[in-house]
Amino acid sequence: MKYEKPTINRVDFALASKYGSPLKTQRIKSEIDGVDVHELTEKFGSPLFVFSQRVIEEKYKEFKEEFTSRYPEVEFWWSYKTNYLDAICKIYHKLGSKAEVVSEFEYQKARRLGIEGKDIIFNGPYKPKDALKVAVKEGAKIHIDHWYEINDLEEIADELGMEIPVAIRCNMDTGVYPAWSRFGFNIDNGEAYDAVKRIYEGKKLILTGLHSHIGTFMLSAEAYKNETKKLIQLKNRVEKDFGYEIEYIDVGGGFASKNRLKGVYQAPEVVVPTAEEYAEAITSAIYEYNEGKLPKLYLETGRALIDEAGYLLTTVFASKRLPDGKKSYIVDAGVNLLYTAFWYNFNIFLDKRYEGLNEPSQINGPLCMNIDVIAENITLPPLDRGSVLTIWPVGAYNITQSMQFIRYRPRAVLIDTNGTPHLIREADDLDYVVEKEVLPEYLK
Ligand SMILES: *Cc1c(COP(=O)(O)O)cnc(C)c1O
């Protein structure tokens, strides 16, 4: 017999299945921090990104409290790429967070917001030499990613006639796979130690920190314990061998938010570690393994702080019946605004209670692209044109990765702690889109 590859087909849910009745209670959210969702879309348009300053502050305080109650010197560095809207960065800076950037653009954006070089960590695998030189001159914390960067920095040290304080980024096996091994120097095979030795022998740079960022949406607190242990062991060793005094270890970001990863069956409340569990894993490993003076502890957490503070409001435009009987809703927000739709099953809330039977439905965006799917399998009552849906949590990586594609990108608002909404990003328009285009003379 000819071999046939086995396949698994999803069984579409009908009225009842072993997973229970689809006639679930409707999940309703009619307001965000006291502001009615219809009032928001009427005033600012739809779709609309909405951020809650209250949630941003609560999350930040929760993480800060868990770490500072366990460890003497902790600093938070806001990861710009997670969400670099000025208003959002400003809130974190006002709360005491410094800046973590991974490109010259993000560096410039932080400087423009008034952040001094010394309060910026410059990470990333691609730091063009002139950008690196500016950052060095301004006293930024440079985290070296590869051997070429050591050479670049030594040249800059000669050009500026100064010794440059640096940190290196490390990667390692933390027990979570696939491991992120393409950034920095590997600790397990001795490469990180060799890099420190190379820096020491070059006599132009001084090592002041050790950094790692082990991944994103890490569901294991244990991985951070392993990471911290390895960073601290490397610290002990290079202090002893080279006489360095390592001021800080930076354990990066990557803490998970309460989002629902596709393929993960259990609820986020069950699988996502708490701030307390992350803090305990990291700080206990420092106490257990550190020899000599305790280093400062730096965190670059992004997603876990902002994801739950972000909502996307979208309005139902039409519905249709697909050939397989499923109901499809066309809404005004597409995957060009929701980059993370590829990984998450978002929570989707209705603006009010709807009459009628729930049925298997899907939610599609406005793009003329088959991939524009916001929710593939969702049980919904019959919705009307004009129904407003709230998609949550979307605060991390969506604004920064959203693209102008087919339609204009929408506005973003911030609701302050008094419940007043403020515009923080204007929508794109035609002028904005064509501003950088050039029509050659001969085509005019
Ligand atoms: C992206 C990034 C972060 C933030 O990661 P989150 O998963 O959003 O917490 C921190 N550090 C570095 C180096 C990064 O690249």
Side-chain angles (χ1 to χ4, degrees):
M1 274 172 73
K2 209 170 149 231
Y3 172 76
E4 256 182 51
K5 221 163 98 179
T7 55
I8 299 174
N9 293 321
R10 196 176 54 76
V11 178
D12 262 308
F13 48 101
L15 267 185
S17 73
K18 66 177 177 177
Y19 302 110
S21 157
L23 303 175
K24 289 185 200 140
T25 20
Q26 297 179 9
R27 308 179 72 196
I28 297 164
K29 184 158 184 63
S30 59
E31 46 80 31
I32 298 171
D33 287 0
V35 191
D36 187 276
V37 293
H38 282 273
E39 208 179 298
L40 285 166
T41 55
E42 273 151 32
K43 179 147 184 225
F44 297 100
S46 176
L48 181 70
F49 277 106
V50 181
F51 289 92
S52 159
Q53 183 163 358
R54 181 184 59 77
V55 177
I56 293 176
E57 293 187 0
E58 278 172 14
K59 277 269 147 191
Y60 183 82
K61 281 176 188 151
E62 180 192 355
F63 272 86
K64 189 166 175 205
E65 177 65 25
E66 294 298 347
F67 278 91
T68 54
S69 61
R70 286 176 170 77
Y71 200 75
E73 277 193 274
V74 183
E75 280 178 19
F76 285 77
W77 300 73
W78 174 242
S79 157
Y80 265 49
K81 77 171 184 298
T82 310
N83 189 320
Y84 46 57
L85 286 173
D86 280 353
I88 302 291
C89 295
K90 201 79 188 182
I91 295 175
Y92 286 108
H93 295 322
K94 284 196 167 178
L95 288 169
S97 205
K98 296 172 176 179
E100 185 270 337
V101 305
V102 293
S103 69
E104 67 270 44
F105 150 63
E106 289 185 0
Y107 186 88
Q108 289 158 5
K109 203 159 192 294
R111 292 286 291 120
R112 179 178 154 273
L113 268 187
I115 305 302
E116 289 181 59
K118 70 172 175 46
D119 294 330
I120 302 177
I121 287 176
F122 195 179
N123 277 323
Y126 186 84
K127 304 184 189 82
K129 199 167 153 207
D130 33 352
L132 198 53
K133 196 165 172 179
V134 170
V136 167
K137 268 194 205 159
E138 295 180 345
K141 293 190 159 40
I142 313 289
H143 289 184
I144 303 175
D145 187 79
H146 48 70
W147 297 95
Y148 284 71
E149 199 176 330
I150 297 178
N151 293 341
D152 288 344
L153 282 163
E154 287 183 341
E155 280 173 30
I156 292 172
D158 282 341
E159 287 160 24
L160 298 178
M162 63 182 281
E163 215 174 30
I164 305 173
V166 296
I168 58 165
R169 176 157 178 180
C170 303
N171 67 71
M172 77 282 288
D173 181 349
T174 60
V176 170
Y177 309 101
W180 277 24
S181 57
R182 56 165 280 227
F183 301 106
F185 304 92
N186 189 265
I187 290 186
D188 305 314
N189 67 10
E191 189 192 23
Y193 181 85
D194 290 345
V196 176
K197 189 158 177 244
R198 164 71 184 76
I199 287 170
Y200 176 76
E201 285 167 353
K203 296 193 167 53
K204 290 173 186 173
L205 315 175
I206 338 170
L207 189 77
T208 56
L210 294 174
H211 166 233
S212 185
H213 171 63
I214 58 175
T216 193
F217 212 87
M218 303 296 289
L219 290 171
S220 157
E222 192 64 23
Y224 288 94
K225 189 161 181 133
N226 296 334
E227 175 203 9
T228 309
K229 172 183 166 186
K230 290 185 180 186
L231 285 175
I232 290 288
Q233 286 174 335
L234 180 64
K235 169 193 169 284
N236 295 338
R237 197 168 158 215
V238 301
E239 285 185 336
K240 195 147 62 67
D241 291 359
F242 306 113
Y244 283 129
E245 191 182 305
I246 303 298
E247 284 167 31
Y248 66 91
I249 65 154
D250 176 349
V251 297
F255 302 150
S257 63
K258 298 267 166 6
N259 224 320
R260 198 179 289 267
L261 266 190
K262 287 185 177 169
V264 172
Y265 184 70
Q266 282 174 312
E269 289 68 27
V270 179
V271 293
V272 175
T274 58
E276 184 182 2
E277 287 165 325
Y278 287 126
E280 184 59 31
I282 291 166
T283 55
S284 66
I286 307 180
Y287 289 126
E288 193 172 342
Y289 296 100
N290 186 64
E291 292 164 11
K293 199 169 158 232
L294 280 178
K296 286 184 193 165
L297 173 61
Y298 288 0
L299 295 157
E300 303 169 342
T301 176
R303 187 192 301 275
L305 295 182
I306 189 72
D307 212 13
E308 289 141 64
Y311 305 82
L312 180 63
L313 302 184
T314 184
T315 305
V316 173
F317 181 68
S319 71
K320 55 167 73 169
R321 183 71 61 188
L322 302 179
D324 67 358
K326 205 189 225 179
K327 189 96 175 251
S328 156
Y329 288 98
I330 303 167
V331 298
D332 57 11
V335 292
N336 60 318
L337 307 181
L338 281 176
Y339 197 76
T340 64
F342 296 107
W343 294 280
Y344 295 139
N345 288 319
F346 300 115
N347 293 287
I348 294 176
F349 300 97
L350 310 177
D351 48 355
K352 60 169 199 213
R353 203 170 170 82
Y354 286 85
E355 294 309 319
L357 277 183
N358 283 358
E359 60 173 323
S361 309
Q362 87 181 32
I363 301 177
N364 294 111
L367 307 181
C368 197
M369 298 280 288
N370 205 37
I371 55 160
D372 196 12
V373 183
I374 305 286
E376 200 170 2
N377 282 301
I378 180 168
T379 317
L380 291 174
L383 304 178
D384 312 319
R385 171 177 269 195
S387 297
V388 173
L389 307 179
T390 300
I391 305 175
W392 176 85
V394 302
Y397 296 104
N398 287 303
I399 283 265
T400 44
Q401 293 186 96
S402 70
M403 53 179 162
Q404 183 277 311
F405 178 57
I406 300 182
R407 303 194 74 231
Y408 299 128
R409 282 176 302 176
R411 284 172 157 173
V413 301
L414 172 73
I415 301 181
D416 70 19
T417 48
N418 299 317
T420 308
H422 303 267
L423 183 67
I424 59 170
R425 190 188 186 278
E426 191 43 275
D428 294 349
D429 58 17
L430 187 59
D431 286 340
Y432 173 87
V433 175
V434 299
E435 193 191 340
K436 300 290 182 189
E437 289 193 33
V438 180
L439 191 61
E441 209 43 56
Y442 79 99
L443 290 176
K444 281 184 183 158

